Amino acid sequence: MTPLISIVAPLYNERESFGPLIERLNALMDKLPYPVEVVLVDDGSRDNTADLIRLTALSDPRYHGVLLARNFGHQTAVTAGMAAARGTEAVLIIDGDLQDPPELLEEFYAHIQNGYDVVYAVRRKRKEGVLKRFAYSTFYRILKNISYVDIPLDSGDFSMVSRRVVDIMNKMPEESRFLRGMRSWIGFKQIGVEYERSERVAGVPKYSFKMLRRLAYNGIFNFSEFPVKFIIRTGAFAIGIALIYLIQTLVKKYVFGTVPQGFTALLFVIILFSGIQLMALGIIGEYVLRVFFQVKGRPLFVVREEICEQRTMDSEQRAVNNGQ
């Protein structure tokens, strides 16, 4: 049967949490009255996660495995899963570490049936370190204040989106992807559902500080004009300081008959302007870098192998029909 809903779960070195994930998903699908498929995306794992996905997809027709050729990153892995999802009405996006409870599918789908196109989860409480919680909270609030798109506070990728939103997102060829921003940019009716984010069921977090910083940069530079406007405002501020210093120098020379001695003031001005120029070049460089990667026109991801029992059976049946 064609699935009504697809569940997309990107996985990277998740062999410890794979078993509990499949158990929770099986229990969920067994009690649902409508057909559901699960798209498991291996994002170039270095452990045996890909083998576990392959075995699961070959033994259970409800599972669909997508193995990427290398590690493309979490946002791209989700994109690959959405491209492979066959759900006719909605797609649920979850993390493979079970911090996002898949059991919320029924509540999310009820909102979809009531006319909403995007149902996003809002984290009421995070069971993580104080520093990490502070960093997340600060980033979300900064992004909301500077973004030209209304991105909900404390909402991640855990969400359910309607089929038409999935089709639109699949057509968006952005190389530096920030899915929660893209989801908000599309529009339509959206609603948030609060939940308490759990701890990882097993293993260690795979998002390093470097990856989190890159994700934050994508959110800021893809959905905000603030960096460019910040350059303009900083430049105007620097010009103001320079004019004040010029007026001060002229007053000292023509009113008091003295001229500032030494290099302290001159050195201060040079360092100030040099720092501002380097910062401006760095901000412009971030935009140029994104344009550079975008204009290459490379595919967002490369699929090494796609496993689906139904498709395998279809291939065998075609071979029989062709007399092979």
Side-chain angles (χ1 to χ4, degrees), residues 70 76 92 94 116 150 169 228:
R70 65 170 177 84
T76 304
L92 176 71
I94 65 172
Y116 288 93
D150 184 17
M169 293 184 72
V228 173

Side-chain angles (χ1 to χ4, degrees), residues 188-258:
F188 296 127
K189 290 183 65 177
Q190 305 196 11
I191 188 172
V193 175
E194 286 192 345
Y195 80 111
E196 186 171 330
R197 188 170 172 84
S198 305
E199 296 178 345
R200 288 182 60 90
V201 69
V204 296
K206 306 303 186 299
Y207 249 113
S208 64
F209 175 77
K210 180 179 179 181
M211 297 169 66
L212 289 172
R213 183 183 63 184
R214 180 182 178 185
L215 181 66
Y217 276 22
N218 287 341
I220 293 173
F221 286 98
N222 288 7
F223 294 95
S224 174
E225 301 171 349
F226 177 79
V228 173
K229 293 181 178 180
F230 179 74
I231 294 176
I232 298 173
R233 294 168 184 170
T234 305
F237 177 73
I239 292 173
I241 291 178
L243 289 175
I244 293 173
Y245 181 72
L246 175 62
I247 294 172
Q248 179 187 16
T249 303
L250 293 176
V251 169
K252 286 186 176 181
K253 179 177 181 180
Y254 293 107
V255 177
F256 300 101
T258 61

